[in-house]
Amino acid sequence: MSIADGGIPSPNIWHHPQTYEIENRAVDPDGVIEPAMRAIRDWAGATVLDLGCGTGFHLPMFARTAAHVIGVEPHGTLAAAARRRTRQLDNVEVKQGTAQQLPIPDASIDVMHARWAYFFGPGSEPGLAELDRVMRHGGTAFVIDNDGSRSTFGRWFSAAYPMIKPAEVERFWTSRGWQRTPLDMGWRFENRADFEAVVRIEFQPQIAERIIASYAGHEVDYAVNLWSRTY
């Protein structure tokens, strides 16, 4: 396993990629996020960067209409999995790298997508500076992140990560010219066992067991923020 210099460990997918795949399938079961992005900036015929692409779960979706899709992932094993997933898609390539040092030419990207990527939010200025470099004029960047101010999942997230304060996160983005689109999506698992497995990779053990003990079922209301900026 190789890690690109400066790669920030992701506690879920880096250590539990198979369980994270279950989570990816459970996220946004009614398809709220994709049309919300397209309403702001469609990627048909565009060059798309999926930053922190992991095992490449979202790459085929972009590849259906984009001209060229580039996945960037710091974790070598995950990047290899993304290449395997997309090996029959001629318009997709996967590179190993980080947000702080993108292996991407200047002014070459029309649409950037980052979802729950740990290098964004306060403290991510080096990664955002790289976006300034690689985004084309008129291009749009998207960051999808948890909204800790509302929803059942948001309450769990805020309890687990009290240092991440929604008001401070909002000030960080808006002060840099990003726009917030609040979305209500969800988690919808096939069974209770999958729900419990994913909760255990997303939260510290004591908090995870408290959630599992107090919450029935395997569908959860879940709010996110879709942040966007046009360059």
Side-chain angles (χ1 to χ4, degrees), residues 18-31 33 57-58 115-116 185-191 194-196 198-199 218-222:
Q18 293 178 325
T19 304
Y20 198 80
E21 186 77 9
I22 294 171
E23 181 174 9
N24 270 329
R25 294 197 299 267
V27 164
D28 194 18
D30 297 319
I33 294 175
F57 184 85
H58 300 289
R115 190 174 303 206
W116 296 296
M185 47 152 224
W187 262 355
R188 187 181 300 156
F189 296 92
E190 293 183 2
N191 53 63
D194 285 351
F195 164 79
E196 293 184 6
V198 170
V199 167
H218 49 271
E219 184 170 351
V220 183
D221 59 294
Y222 191 147

PDB file of all heavy atoms in Angstrom, residues 18-31 33 57-58 115-116 185-191 194-196 198-199 218-222:
ATOM      1  N   GLN A  18     -14.769  -2.273   1.982  1.00  0.00           N
ATOM      2  CA  GLN A  18     -15.953  -3.064   1.636  1.00  0.00           C
ATOM      3  C   GLN A  18     -17.195  -2.551   2.350  1.00  0.00           C
ATOM      4  O   GLN A  18     -18.287  -2.479   1.756  1.00  0.00           O
ATOM      5  CB  GLN A  18     -15.701  -4.541   1.955  1.00  0.00           C
ATOM      6  CG  GLN A  18     -14.633  -5.172   1.067  1.00  0.00           C
ATOM      7  CD  GLN A  18     -14.367  -6.624   1.428  1.00  0.00           C
ATOM      8  OE1 GLN A  18     -14.427  -7.009   2.587  1.00  0.00           O
ATOM      9  NE2 GLN A  18     -14.055  -7.422   0.423  1.00  0.00           N
ATOM     10  N   THR A  19     -17.046  -2.175   3.623  1.00  0.00           N
ATOM     11  CA  THR A  19     -18.188  -1.615   4.345  1.00  0.00           C
ATOM     12  C   THR A  19     -18.544  -0.244   3.797  1.00  0.00           C
ATOM     13  O   THR A  19     -19.725   0.117   3.703  1.00  0.00           O
ATOM     14  CB  THR A  19     -17.878  -1.526   5.850  1.00  0.00           C
ATOM     15  OG1 THR A  19     -17.514  -2.821   6.320  1.00  0.00           O
ATOM     16  CG2 THR A  19     -19.080  -1.034   6.639  1.00  0.00           C
ATOM     17  N   TYR A  20     -17.537   0.513   3.395  1.00  0.00           N
ATOM     18  CA  TYR A  20     -17.811   1.828   2.819  1.00  0.00           C
ATOM     19  C   TYR A  20     -18.565   1.700   1.498  1.00  0.00           C
ATOM     20  O   TYR A  20     -19.372   2.565   1.143  1.00  0.00           O
ATOM     21  CB  TYR A  20     -16.508   2.596   2.621  1.00  0.00           C
ATOM     22  CG  TYR A  20     -16.707   4.082   2.438  1.00  0.00           C
ATOM     23  CD1 TYR A  20     -16.914   4.919   3.532  1.00  0.00           C
ATOM     24  CD2 TYR A  20     -16.699   4.659   1.167  1.00  0.00           C
ATOM     25  CE1 TYR A  20     -17.107   6.275   3.363  1.00  0.00           C
ATOM     26  CE2 TYR A  20     -16.886   6.016   0.993  1.00  0.00           C
ATOM     27  CZ  TYR A  20     -17.091   6.824   2.098  1.00  0.00           C
ATOM     28  OH  TYR A  20     -17.289   8.179   1.928  1.00  0.00           O
ATOM     29  N   GLU A  21     -18.324   0.628   0.773  1.00  0.00           N
ATOM     30  CA  GLU A  21     -19.082   0.377  -0.457  1.00  0.00           C
ATOM     31  C   GLU A  21     -20.564   0.189  -0.134  1.00  0.00           C
ATOM     32  O   GLU A  21     -21.441   0.679  -0.860  1.00  0.00           O
ATOM     33  CB  GLU A  21     -18.524  -0.866  -1.165  1.00  0.00           C
ATOM     34  CG  GLU A  21     -19.143  -1.140  -2.518  1.00  0.00           C
ATOM     35  CD  GLU A  21     -18.615  -0.238  -3.622  1.00  0.00           C
ATOM     36  OE1 GLU A  21     -17.640   0.501  -3.393  1.00  0.00           O
ATOM     37  OE2 GLU A  21     -19.196  -0.285  -4.723  1.00  0.00           O
ATOM     38  N   ILE A  22     -20.850  -0.504   0.963  1.00  0.00           N
ATOM     39  CA  ILE A  22     -22.242  -0.652   1.411  1.00  0.00           C
ATOM     40  C   ILE A  22     -22.837   0.722   1.708  1.00  0.00           C
ATOM     41  O   ILE A  22     -23.984   1.023   1.340  1.00  0.00           O
ATOM     42  CB  ILE A  22     -22.312  -1.550   2.657  1.00  0.00           C
ATOM     43  CG1 ILE A  22     -21.899  -2.982   2.308  1.00  0.00           C
ATOM     44  CG2 ILE A  22     -23.712  -1.529   3.277  1.00  0.00           C
ATOM     45  CD1 ILE A  22     -21.739  -3.890   3.516  1.00  0.00           C
ATOM     46  N   GLU A  23     -22.050   1.566   2.370  1.00  0.00           N
ATOM     47  CA  GLU A  23     -22.538   2.911   2.678  1.00  0.00           C
ATOM     48  C   GLU A  23     -22.804   3.707   1.403  1.00  0.00           C
ATOM     49  O   GLU A  23     -23.839   4.389   1.284  1.00  0.00           O
ATOM     50  CB  GLU A  23     -21.539   3.651   3.555  1.00  0.00           C
ATOM     51  CG  GLU A  23     -22.006   5.044   3.919  1.00  0.00           C
ATOM     52  CD  GLU A  23     -21.109   5.752   4.912  1.00  0.00           C
ATOM     53  OE1 GLU A  23     -20.009   5.233   5.201  1.00  0.00           O
ATOM     54  OE2 GLU A  23     -21.502   6.823   5.393  1.00  0.00           O
ATOM     55  N   ASN A  24     -21.901   3.649   0.448  1.00  0.00           N
ATOM     56  CA  ASN A  24     -22.114   4.372  -0.807  1.00  0.00           C
ATOM     57  C   ASN A  24     -23.421   3.974  -1.473  1.00  0.00           C
ATOM     58  O   ASN A  24     -24.138   4.816  -2.020  1.00  0.00           O
ATOM     59  CB  ASN A  24     -20.947   4.122  -1.768  1.00  0.00           C
ATOM     60  CG  ASN A  24     -19.819   5.128  -1.609  1.00  0.00           C
ATOM     61  OD1 ASN A  24     -20.049   6.278  -1.265  1.00  0.00           O
ATOM     62  ND2 ASN A  24     -18.605   4.686  -1.873  1.00  0.00           N
ATOM     63  N   ARG A  25     -23.743   2.686  -1.437  1.00  0.00           N
ATOM     64  CA  ARG A  25     -24.987   2.220  -2.056  1.00  0.00           C
ATOM     65  C   ARG A  25     -26.214   2.686  -1.282  1.00  0.00           C
ATOM     66  O   ARG A  25     -27.303   2.824  -1.865  1.00  0.00           O
ATOM     67  CB  ARG A  25     -24.979   0.702  -2.180  1.00  0.00           C
ATOM     68  CG  ARG A  25     -23.918   0.154  -3.144  1.00  0.00           C
ATOM     69  CD  ARG A  25     -24.225  -1.279  -3.548  1.00  0.00           C
ATOM     70  NE  ARG A  25     -24.242  -2.183  -2.414  1.00  0.00           N
ATOM     71  CZ  ARG A  25     -23.189  -2.890  -1.992  1.00  0.00           C
ATOM     72  NH1 ARG A  25     -22.024  -2.765  -2.615  1.00  0.00           N
ATOM     73  NH2 ARG A  25     -23.294  -3.714  -0.966  1.00  0.00           N
ATOM     74  N   ALA A  26     -26.047   2.936   0.017  1.00  0.00           N
ATOM     75  CA  ALA A  26     -27.181   3.338   0.858  1.00  0.00           C
ATOM     76  C   ALA A  26     -27.429   4.843   0.843  1.00  0.00           C
ATOM     77  O   ALA A  26     -28.520   5.296   1.210  1.00  0.00           O
ATOM     78  CB  ALA A  26     -26.940   2.881   2.299  1.00  0.00           C
ATOM     79  N   VAL A  27     -26.435   5.617   0.440  1.00  0.00           N
ATOM     80  CA  VAL A  27     -26.534   7.078   0.473  1.00  0.00           C
ATOM     81  C   VAL A  27     -27.427   7.589  -0.652  1.00  0.00           C
ATOM     82  O   VAL A  27     -27.356   7.117  -1.782  1.00  0.00           O
ATOM     83  CB  VAL A  27     -25.123   7.695   0.372  1.00  0.00           C
ATOM     84  CG1 VAL A  27     -25.196   9.172   0.012  1.00  0.00           C
ATOM     85  CG2 VAL A  27     -24.358   7.507   1.673  1.00  0.00           C
ATOM     86  N   ASP A  28     -28.256   8.573  -0.313  1.00  0.00           N
ATOM     87  CA  ASP A  28     -29.073   9.284  -1.295  1.00  0.00           C
ATOM     88  C   ASP A  28     -29.918   8.330  -2.137  1.00  0.00           C
ATOM     89  O   ASP A  28     -29.844   8.330  -3.370  1.00  0.00           O
ATOM     90  CB  ASP A  28     -28.175  10.147  -2.190  1.00  0.00           C
ATOM     91  CG  ASP A  28     -28.962  11.158  -3.013  1.00  0.00           C
ATOM     92  OD1 ASP A  28     -30.121  11.442  -2.669  1.00  0.00           O
ATOM     93  OD2 ASP A  28     -28.407  11.656  -4.014  1.00  0.00           O
ATOM     94  N   PRO A  29     -30.751   7.510  -1.493  1.00  0.00           N
ATOM     95  CA  PRO A  29     -31.490   6.484  -2.239  1.00  0.00           C
ATOM     96  C   PRO A  29     -32.492   7.049  -3.239  1.00  0.00           C
ATOM     97  O   PRO A  29     -32.841   6.365  -4.210  1.00  0.00           O
ATOM     98  CB  PRO A  29     -32.199   5.692  -1.138  1.00  0.00           C
ATOM     99  CG  PRO A  29     -32.329   6.658  -0.005  1.00  0.00           C
ATOM    100  CD  PRO A  29     -31.075   7.481  -0.052  1.00  0.00           C
ATOM    101  N   ASP A  30     -32.949   8.266  -3.043  1.00  0.00           N
ATOM    102  CA  ASP A  30     -33.922   8.868  -3.965  1.00  0.00           C
ATOM    103  C   ASP A  30     -33.271   9.780  -4.997  1.00  0.00           C
ATOM    104  O   ASP A  30     -33.967  10.449  -5.770  1.00  0.00           O
ATOM    105  CB  ASP A  30     -34.985   9.639  -3.171  1.00  0.00           C
ATOM    106  CG  ASP A  30     -35.788   8.728  -2.255  1.00  0.00           C
ATOM    107  OD1 ASP A  30     -36.133   7.604  -2.685  1.00  0.00           O
ATOM    108  OD2 ASP A  30     -36.054   9.119  -1.104  1.00  0.00           O
ATOM    109  N   GLY A  31     -31.946   9.826  -5.010  1.00  0.00           N
ATOM    110  CA  GLY A  31     -31.234  10.558  -6.047  1.00  0.00           C
ATOM    111  C   GLY A  31     -31.430  12.063  -5.993  1.00  0.00           C
ATOM    112  O   GLY A  31     -31.741  12.698  -7.010  1.00  0.00           O
ATOM    113  N   ILE A  33     -28.942  14.355  -4.831  1.00  0.00           N
ATOM    114  CA  ILE A  33     -27.719  15.136  -5.012  1.00  0.00           C
ATOM    115  C   ILE A  33     -27.398  15.404  -6.478  1.00  0.00           C
ATOM    116  O   ILE A  33     -27.104  16.544  -6.865  1.00  0.00           O
ATOM    117  CB  ILE A  33     -26.534  14.439  -4.319  1.00  0.00           C
ATOM    118  CG1 ILE A  33     -26.732  14.414  -2.799  1.00  0.00           C
ATOM    119  CG2 ILE A  33     -25.218  15.141  -4.660  1.00  0.00           C
ATOM    120  CD1 ILE A  33     -25.674  13.634  -2.046  1.00  0.00           C
ATOM    121  N   PHE A  57     -16.430   4.982  -6.862  1.00  0.00           N
ATOM    122  CA  PHE A  57     -17.870   4.718  -6.885  1.00  0.00           C
ATOM    123  C   PHE A  57     -18.619   5.688  -7.800  1.00  0.00           C
ATOM    124  O   PHE A  57     -19.541   5.287  -8.521  1.00  0.00           O
ATOM    125  CB  PHE A  57     -18.438   4.794  -5.465  1.00  0.00           C
ATOM    126  CG  PHE A  57     -19.891   4.435  -5.356  1.00  0.00           C
ATOM    127  CD1 PHE A  57     -20.275   3.103  -5.235  1.00  0.00           C
ATOM    128  CD2 PHE A  57     -20.872   5.415  -5.367  1.00  0.00           C
ATOM    129  CE1 PHE A  57     -21.616   2.761  -5.138  1.00  0.00           C
ATOM    130  CE2 PHE A  57     -22.214   5.084  -5.269  1.00  0.00           C
ATOM    131  CZ  PHE A  57     -22.587   3.755  -5.148  1.00  0.00           C
ATOM    132  N   HIS A  58     -18.236   6.963  -7.793  1.00  0.00           N
ATOM    133  CA  HIS A  58     -18.983   7.969  -8.555  1.00  0.00           C
ATOM    134  C   HIS A  58     -18.445   8.177  -9.972  1.00  0.00           C
ATOM    135  O   HIS A  58     -19.090   8.873 -10.769  1.00  0.00           O
ATOM    136  CB  HIS A  58     -18.968   9.302  -7.804  1.00  0.00           C
ATOM    137  CG  HIS A  58     -19.573   9.226  -6.442  1.00  0.00           C
ATOM    138  ND1 HIS A  58     -20.919   9.071  -6.235  1.00  0.00           N
ATOM    139  CD2 HIS A  58     -19.009   9.255  -5.207  1.00  0.00           C
ATOM    140  CE1 HIS A  58     -21.168   9.022  -4.933  1.00  0.00           C
ATOM    141  NE2 HIS A  58     -20.027   9.115  -4.304  1.00  0.00           N
ATOM    142  N   ARG A 115     -16.682  14.670  -2.221  1.00  0.00           N
ATOM    143  CA  ARG A 115     -17.771  14.262  -1.324  1.00  0.00           C
ATOM    144  C   ARG A 115     -17.178  13.681  -0.045  1.00  0.00           C
ATOM    145  O   ARG A 115     -16.479  12.686  -0.067  1.00  0.00           O
ATOM    146  CB  ARG A 115     -18.651  13.226  -2.039  1.00  0.00           C
ATOM    147  CG  ARG A 115     -19.936  12.923  -1.314  1.00  0.00           C
ATOM    148  CD  ARG A 115     -20.847  12.012  -2.116  1.00  0.00           C
ATOM    149  NE  ARG A 115     -21.199  12.519  -3.439  1.00  0.00           N
ATOM    150  CZ  ARG A 115     -22.312  12.195  -4.098  1.00  0.00           C
ATOM    151  NH1 ARG A 115     -23.166  11.363  -3.544  1.00  0.00           N
ATOM    152  NH2 ARG A 115     -22.545  12.678  -5.304  1.00  0.00           N
ATOM    153  N   TRP A 116     -17.470  14.329   1.067  1.00  0.00           N
ATOM    154  CA  TRP A 116     -16.969  13.915   2.380  1.00  0.00           C
ATOM    155  C   TRP A 116     -15.451  13.704   2.327  1.00  0.00           C
ATOM    156  O   TRP A 116     -14.925  12.709   2.821  1.00  0.00           O
ATOM    157  CB  TRP A 116     -17.685  12.649   2.853  1.00  0.00           C
ATOM    158  CG  TRP A 116     -19.135  12.894   3.057  1.00  0.00           C
ATOM    159  CD1 TRP A 116     -19.687  13.729   3.964  1.00  0.00           C
ATOM    160  CD2 TRP A 116     -20.230  12.330   2.322  1.00  0.00           C
ATOM    161  NE1 TRP A 116     -21.056  13.725   3.848  1.00  0.00           N
ATOM    162  CE2 TRP A 116     -21.421  12.874   2.845  1.00  0.00           C
ATOM    163  CE3 TRP A 116     -20.317  11.422   1.276  1.00  0.00           C
ATOM    164  CZ2 TRP A 116     -22.684  12.538   2.372  1.00  0.00           C
ATOM    165  CZ3 TRP A 116     -21.568  11.086   0.792  1.00  0.00           C
ATOM    166  CH2 TRP A 116     -22.728  11.632   1.330  1.00  0.00           C
ATOM    167  N   MET A 185     -31.311  14.129   2.009  1.00  0.00           N
ATOM    168  CA  MET A 185     -31.194  12.871   1.262  1.00  0.00           C
ATOM    169  C   MET A 185     -31.531  11.727   2.200  1.00  0.00           C
ATOM    170  O   MET A 185     -32.667  11.587   2.619  1.00  0.00           O
ATOM    171  CB  MET A 185     -29.836  12.741   0.603  1.00  0.00           C
ATOM    172  CG  MET A 185     -28.645  13.064   1.492  1.00  0.00           C
ATOM    173  SD  MET A 185     -27.194  12.166   0.986  1.00  0.00           S
ATOM    174  CE  MET A 185     -26.542  11.597   2.527  1.00  0.00           C
ATOM    175  N   GLY A 186     -30.575  10.908   2.575  1.00  0.00           N
ATOM    176  CA  GLY A 186     -30.858   9.838   3.523  1.00  0.00           C
ATOM    177  C   GLY A 186     -29.870   8.699   3.415  1.00  0.00           C
ATOM    178  O   GLY A 186     -29.038   8.644   2.510  1.00  0.00           O
ATOM    179  N   TRP A 187     -29.972   7.815   4.396  1.00  0.00           N
ATOM    180  CA  TRP A 187     -29.345   6.492   4.371  1.00  0.00           C
ATOM    181  C   TRP A 187     -30.492   5.493   4.268  1.00  0.00           C
ATOM    182  O   TRP A 187     -31.449   5.562   5.042  1.00  0.00           O
ATOM    183  CB  TRP A 187     -28.649   6.236   5.700  1.00  0.00           C
ATOM    184  CG  TRP A 187     -27.185   6.473   5.784  1.00  0.00           C
ATOM    185  CD1 TRP A 187     -26.309   6.814   4.809  1.00  0.00           C
ATOM    186  CD2 TRP A 187     -26.411   6.347   6.991  1.00  0.00           C
ATOM    187  NE1 TRP A 187     -25.045   6.919   5.317  1.00  0.00           N
ATOM    188  CE2 TRP A 187     -25.080   6.638   6.655  1.00  0.00           C
ATOM    189  CE3 TRP A 187     -26.721   6.019   8.313  1.00  0.00           C
ATOM    190  CZ2 TRP A 187     -24.049   6.600   7.593  1.00  0.00           C
ATOM    191  CZ3 TRP A 187     -25.705   5.997   9.236  1.00  0.00           C
ATOM    192  CH2 TRP A 187     -24.381   6.277   8.885  1.00  0.00           C
ATOM    193  N   ARG A 188     -30.401   4.547   3.354  1.00  0.00           N
ATOM    194  CA  ARG A 188     -31.406   3.474   3.267  1.00  0.00           C
ATOM    195  C   ARG A 188     -30.657   2.169   2.995  1.00  0.00           C
ATOM    196  O   ARG A 188     -30.229   1.900   1.874  1.00  0.00           O
ATOM    197  CB  ARG A 188     -32.436   3.751   2.183  1.00  0.00           C
ATOM    198  CG  ARG A 188     -33.605   2.749   2.172  1.00  0.00           C
ATOM    199  CD  ARG A 188     -34.578   3.084   1.056  1.00  0.00           C
ATOM    200  NE  ARG A 188     -35.139   4.426   1.227  1.00  0.00           N
ATOM    201  CZ  ARG A 188     -35.633   5.159   0.223  1.00  0.00           C
ATOM    202  NH1 ARG A 188     -35.602   4.689  -1.021  1.00  0.00           N
ATOM    203  NH2 ARG A 188     -36.133   6.354   0.460  1.00  0.00           N
ATOM    204  N   PHE A 189     -30.497   1.372   4.038  1.00  0.00           N
ATOM    205  CA  PHE A 189     -29.762   0.119   3.932  1.00  0.00           C
ATOM    206  C   PHE A 189     -30.710  -1.036   3.623  1.00  0.00           C
ATOM    207  O   PHE A 189     -31.910  -0.978   3.898  1.00  0.00           O
ATOM    208  CB  PHE A 189     -29.011  -0.154   5.240  1.00  0.00           C
ATOM    209  CG  PHE A 189     -27.943   0.867   5.539  1.00  0.00           C
ATOM    210  CD1 PHE A 189     -28.219   1.987   6.311  1.00  0.00           C
ATOM    211  CD2 PHE A 189     -26.663   0.721   5.028  1.00  0.00           C
ATOM    212  CE1 PHE A 189     -27.240   2.930   6.580  1.00  0.00           C
ATOM    213  CE2 PHE A 189     -25.681   1.660   5.281  1.00  0.00           C
ATOM    214  CZ  PHE A 189     -25.967   2.767   6.067  1.00  0.00           C
ATOM    215  N   GLU A 190     -30.142  -2.106   3.086  1.00  0.00           N
ATOM    216  CA  GLU A 190     -30.952  -3.276   2.772  1.00  0.00           C
ATOM    217  C   GLU A 190     -31.379  -4.021   4.022  1.00  0.00           C
ATOM    218  O   GLU A 190     -32.412  -4.699   4.022  1.00  0.00           O
ATOM    219  CB  GLU A 190     -30.178  -4.208   1.839  1.00  0.00           C
ATOM    220  CG  GLU A 190     -29.942  -3.619   0.450  1.00  0.00           C
ATOM    221  CD  GLU A 190     -29.243  -4.606  -0.470  1.00  0.00           C
ATOM    222  OE1 GLU A 190     -28.980  -5.748  -0.015  1.00  0.00           O
ATOM    223  OE2 GLU A 190     -28.964  -4.244  -1.618  1.00  0.00           O
ATOM    224  N   ASN A 191     -30.599  -3.899   5.079  1.00  0.00           N
ATOM    225  CA  ASN A 191     -30.931  -4.626   6.310  1.00  0.00           C
ATOM    226  C   ASN A 191     -30.257  -3.953   7.499  1.00  0.00           C
ATOM    227  O   ASN A 191     -29.403  -3.083   7.349  1.00  0.00           O
ATOM    228  CB  ASN A 191     -30.507  -6.098   6.207  1.00  0.00           C
ATOM    229  CG  ASN A 191     -29.049  -6.239   5.808  1.00  0.00           C
ATOM    230  OD1 ASN A 191     -28.150  -5.811   6.528  1.00  0.00           O
ATOM    231  ND2 ASN A 191     -28.811  -6.831   4.635  1.00  0.00           N
ATOM    232  N   ASP A 194     -26.316  -4.201   7.864  1.00  0.00           N
ATOM    233  CA  ASP A 194     -25.540  -3.234   7.084  1.00  0.00           C
ATOM    234  C   ASP A 194     -25.530  -1.874   7.774  1.00  0.00           C
ATOM    235  O   ASP A 194     -24.495  -1.199   7.813  1.00  0.00           O
ATOM    236  CB  ASP A 194     -26.131  -3.103   5.676  1.00  0.00           C
ATOM    237  CG  ASP A 194     -25.804  -4.294   4.783  1.00  0.00           C
ATOM    238  OD1 ASP A 194     -24.985  -5.138   5.196  1.00  0.00           O
ATOM    239  OD2 ASP A 194     -26.369  -4.359   3.675  1.00  0.00           O
ATOM    240  N   PHE A 195     -26.672  -1.461   8.286  1.00  0.00           N
ATOM    241  CA  PHE A 195     -26.733  -0.194   9.022  1.00  0.00           C
ATOM    242  C   PHE A 195     -25.744  -0.191  10.182  1.00  0.00           C
ATOM    243  O   PHE A 195     -24.972   0.755  10.363  1.00  0.00           O
ATOM    244  CB  PHE A 195     -28.159   0.028   9.534  1.00  0.00           C
ATOM    245  CG  PHE A 195     -28.277   1.085  10.601  1.00  0.00           C
ATOM    246  CD1 PHE A 195     -28.274   2.429  10.276  1.00  0.00           C
ATOM    247  CD2 PHE A 195     -28.385   0.724  11.937  1.00  0.00           C
ATOM    248  CE1 PHE A 195     -28.377   3.404  11.268  1.00  0.00           C
ATOM    249  CE2 PHE A 195     -28.491   1.687  12.935  1.00  0.00           C
ATOM    250  CZ  PHE A 195     -28.487   3.030  12.600  1.00  0.00           C
ATOM    251  N   GLU A 196     -25.743  -1.245  10.974  1.00  0.00           N
ATOM    252  CA  GLU A 196     -24.868  -1.304  12.140  1.00  0.00           C
ATOM    253  C   GLU A 196     -23.401  -1.317  11.729  1.00  0.00           C
ATOM    254  O   GLU A 196     -22.557  -0.659  12.361  1.00  0.00           O
ATOM    255  CB  GLU A 196     -25.201  -2.530  12.980  1.00  0.00           C
ATOM    256  CG  GLU A 196     -26.578  -2.449  13.636  1.00  0.00           C
ATOM    257  CD  GLU A 196     -26.882  -3.622  14.551  1.00  0.00           C
ATOM    258  OE1 GLU A 196     -25.972  -4.463  14.767  1.00  0.00           O
ATOM    259  OE2 GLU A 196     -28.021  -3.704  15.058  1.00  0.00           O
ATOM    260  N   VAL A 198     -22.012   0.043   9.102  1.00  0.00           N
ATOM    261  CA  VAL A 198     -21.602   1.366   8.640  1.00  0.00           C
ATOM    262  C   VAL A 198     -21.509   2.348   9.808  1.00  0.00           C
ATOM    263  O   VAL A 198     -20.574   3.153   9.871  1.00  0.00           O
ATOM    264  CB  VAL A 198     -22.561   1.874   7.544  1.00  0.00           C
ATOM    265  CG1 VAL A 198     -22.302   3.345   7.236  1.00  0.00           C
ATOM    266  CG2 VAL A 198     -22.397   1.029   6.285  1.00  0.00           C
ATOM    267  N   VAL A 199     -22.451   2.298  10.729  1.00  0.00           N
ATOM    268  CA  VAL A 199     -22.357   3.159  11.910  1.00  0.00           C
ATOM    269  C   VAL A 199     -21.027   2.930  12.628  1.00  0.00           C
ATOM    270  O   VAL A 199     -20.379   3.878  13.087  1.00  0.00           O
ATOM    271  CB  VAL A 199     -23.541   2.915  12.865  1.00  0.00           C
ATOM    272  CG1 VAL A 199     -23.305   3.545  14.232  1.00  0.00           C
ATOM    273  CG2 VAL A 199     -24.829   3.465  12.263  1.00  0.00           C
ATOM    274  N   HIS A 218     -33.386   0.669   9.720  1.00  0.00           N
ATOM    275  CA  HIS A 218     -32.173   0.802   8.926  1.00  0.00           C
ATOM    276  C   HIS A 218     -32.321   1.871   7.830  1.00  0.00           C
ATOM    277  O   HIS A 218     -31.699   1.791   6.782  1.00  0.00           O
ATOM    278  CB  HIS A 218     -31.754  -0.540   8.317  1.00  0.00           C
ATOM    279  CG  HIS A 218     -32.850  -1.283   7.616  1.00  0.00           C
ATOM    280  ND1 HIS A 218     -33.673  -2.172   8.261  1.00  0.00           N
ATOM    281  CD2 HIS A 218     -33.243  -1.277   6.327  1.00  0.00           C
ATOM    282  CE1 HIS A 218     -34.526  -2.688   7.408  1.00  0.00           C
ATOM    283  NE2 HIS A 218     -34.286  -2.153   6.216  1.00  0.00           N
ATOM    284  N   GLU A 219     -33.153   2.884   8.114  1.00  0.00           N
ATOM    285  CA  GLU A 219     -33.277   4.053   7.241  1.00  0.00           C
ATOM    286  C   GLU A 219     -33.193   5.300   8.113  1.00  0.00           C
ATOM    287  O   GLU A 219     -33.819   5.371   9.174  1.00  0.00           O
ATOM    288  CB  GLU A 219     -34.600   4.026   6.485  1.00  0.00           C
ATOM    289  CG  GLU A 219     -34.748   5.153   5.497  1.00  0.00           C
ATOM    290  CD  GLU A 219     -35.954   4.983   4.584  1.00  0.00           C
ATOM    291  OE1 GLU A 219     -36.570   3.902   4.604  1.00  0.00           O
ATOM    292  OE2 GLU A 219     -36.278   5.944   3.847  1.00  0.00           O
ATOM    293  N   VAL A 220     -32.393   6.278   7.686  1.00  0.00           N
ATOM    294  CA  VAL A 220     -32.091   7.438   8.514  1.00  0.00           C
ATOM    295  C   VAL A 220     -32.257   8.711   7.678  1.00  0.00           C
ATOM    296  O   VAL A 220     -31.785   8.772   6.538  1.00  0.00           O
ATOM    297  CB  VAL A 220     -30.637   7.377   9.047  1.00  0.00           C
ATOM    298  CG1 VAL A 220     -30.342   8.555   9.960  1.00  0.00           C
ATOM    299  CG2 VAL A 220     -30.377   6.057   9.763  1.00  0.00           C
ATOM    300  N   ASP A 221     -32.921   9.732   8.255  1.00  0.00           N
ATOM    301  CA  ASP A 221     -32.955  11.032   7.593  1.00  0.00           C
ATOM    302  C   ASP A 221     -31.592  11.698   7.766  1.00  0.00           C
ATOM    303  O   ASP A 221     -30.988  11.634   8.830  1.00  0.00           O
ATOM    304  CB  ASP A 221     -34.082  11.904   8.145  1.00  0.00           C
ATOM    305  CG  ASP A 221     -33.968  12.163   9.630  1.00  0.00           C
ATOM    306  OD1 ASP A 221     -34.099  11.193  10.412  1.00  0.00           O
ATOM    307  OD2 ASP A 221     -33.744  13.319  10.024  1.00  0.00           O
ATOM    308  N   TYR A 222     -31.137  12.337   6.713  1.00  0.00           N
ATOM    309  CA  TYR A 222     -29.728  12.755   6.638  1.00  0.00           C
ATOM    310  C   TYR A 222     -29.662  14.034   5.805  1.00  0.00           C
ATOM    311  O   TYR A 222     -30.020  14.038   4.626  1.00  0.00           O
ATOM    312  CB  TYR A 222     -28.949  11.620   5.978  1.00  0.00           C
ATOM    313  CG  TYR A 222     -27.435  11.656   5.992  1.00  0.00           C
ATOM    314  CD1 TYR A 222     -26.720  10.462   6.052  1.00  0.00           C
ATOM    315  CD2 TYR A 222     -26.723  12.836   5.894  1.00  0.00           C
ATOM    316  CE1 TYR A 222     -25.328  10.453   6.033  1.00  0.00           C
ATOM    317  CE2 TYR A 222     -25.336  12.844   5.883  1.00  0.00           C
ATOM    318  CZ  TYR A 222     -24.653  11.655   5.945  1.00  0.00           C
ATOM    319  OH  TYR A 222     -23.273  11.655   5.919  1.00  0.00           O
TER     320      TYR A 222
END
